[in-house]
Amino acid sequence: MTTTTTATPAPEATGMGTGGGNGSASSSAAPDPRAQGGLDLATVSAALKLLHGDIKGSVIELRIIPPRRGGNTLDGYFEDIKYLLLEVRAYDGRQQIYAGIHPRPARLLSRAKNHLARAEGAKQMDIEDVTAFVVDIDPVRPKGEAATDAELALAMRVAEQIRNDFIAMGWPGPIRVMSGNGTHIVFCFPPVHIRDDAHRAEVAAMLLAFES
């Protein structure tokens, strides 16, 4: 069993899917994709709100990664969740979809505002506020092999123990997500603003202390 903590601001898997349009548009004209069938977009929206709080005040990075090498990775920065959900629905089941856990600064909207494009993704140095850390729990197994039911059950038990230990220390209950071959738990906290490079390194070191 391996347990790793994500300390960098790279986008994290959210259990979403792949697809569609790259054209930008104004938020006032966006249809509401939550009324459409298929993917449970209400759950996607709720998960993002747990991570980012008030969506209106947050910029979320969405990244689409093709399942095979040679395809184009797409990035977009969304201040309007309606457009983000439209892109998620379009790509669901076709490609890998990742959403950034930490909010992105508004200045990155200039790269691809409320749409996906072949834009530059956010780097660690772009992150100005840290809002969560992730403990990723995967069974140790041969490369390329899926986890067995017993291994998944063990990962869930380990996650539950970590959850209980943190709650006992006064942390709020985390978000728990199935990651396919294991699980990860996301602990959210009030935004920590990165003051400078030295503070960034300090915060990263504190988060990495959970990695084993």
Side-chain angles (χ1 to χ4, degrees):
M1 185 74 62
T2 60
T3 305
T4 60
T5 302
T6 300
T8 65
E12 298 296 329
T14 61
M16 297 184 258
T18 64
N22 291 338
S24 62
S26 70
S27 60
S28 61
D32 189 346
R34 287 168 289 190
Q36 302 172 11
L39 180 70
D40 185 358
L41 294 175
T43 299
V44 174
S45 178
L48 292 172
K49 286 181 179 179
L50 282 173
L51 289 171
H52 290 265
D54 183 3
I55 294 293
K56 291 182 179 179
S58 181
V59 173
I60 302 172
E61 180 183 2
L62 191 68
R63 181 171 297 176
I64 307 298
I65 300 179
R68 297 178 180 84
R69 291 183 179 179
N72 294 323
T73 296
L74 302 175
D75 272 274
Y77 298 86
F78 295 83
E79 62 178 356
D80 189 324
I81 195 171
K82 288 183 179 180
Y83 287 109
L84 183 148
L85 295 177
L86 285 170
E87 298 284 17
V88 167
R89 185 176 186 273
Y91 283 99
D92 178 43
R94 296 170 48 206
Q95 296 188 33
Q96 301 174 69
I97 300 180
Y98 296 81
I101 287 179
H102 308 299
R104 280 21 178 177
R107 58 184 170 81
L108 298 188
L109 287 169
S110 62
R111 296 180 180 180
K113 181 178 178 180
N114 290 327
H115 69 279
L116 290 170
R118 295 181 63 180
E120 182 182 0
K123 304 295 191 297
Q124 183 171 356
M125 296 303 295
D126 291 317
I127 302 306
E128 297 177 356
D129 295 282
V130 175
T131 57
F133 71 89
V134 181
V135 180
D136 190 8
I137 303 162
D138 285 316
V140 176
R141 61 195 188 282
K143 185 177 180 179
E145 289 191 12
T148 65
D149 289 344
E151 289 170 335
L152 284 174
L154 177 57
M156 297 296 287
R157 290 198 297 273
V158 171
E160 187 67 15
Q161 183 61 57
I162 293 172
R163 171 189 178 276
N164 291 341
D165 288 347
F166 270 83
I167 289 176
M169 291 187 291
W171 282 76
I175 305 167
R176 189 171 66 184
V177 182
M178 290 299 296
S179 59
N181 287 305
T183 184
H184 56 258
I185 45 181
V186 184
F187 291 91
C188 300
F189 47 79
V192 174
H193 184 68
I194 304 300
R195 299 188 299 271
D196 50 36
D197 289 346
H199 186 222
R200 184 185 306 278
E202 179 185 354
V203 171
M206 292 173 65
L207 294 176
L208 283 170
F210 291 99
E211 187 171 343
S212 63

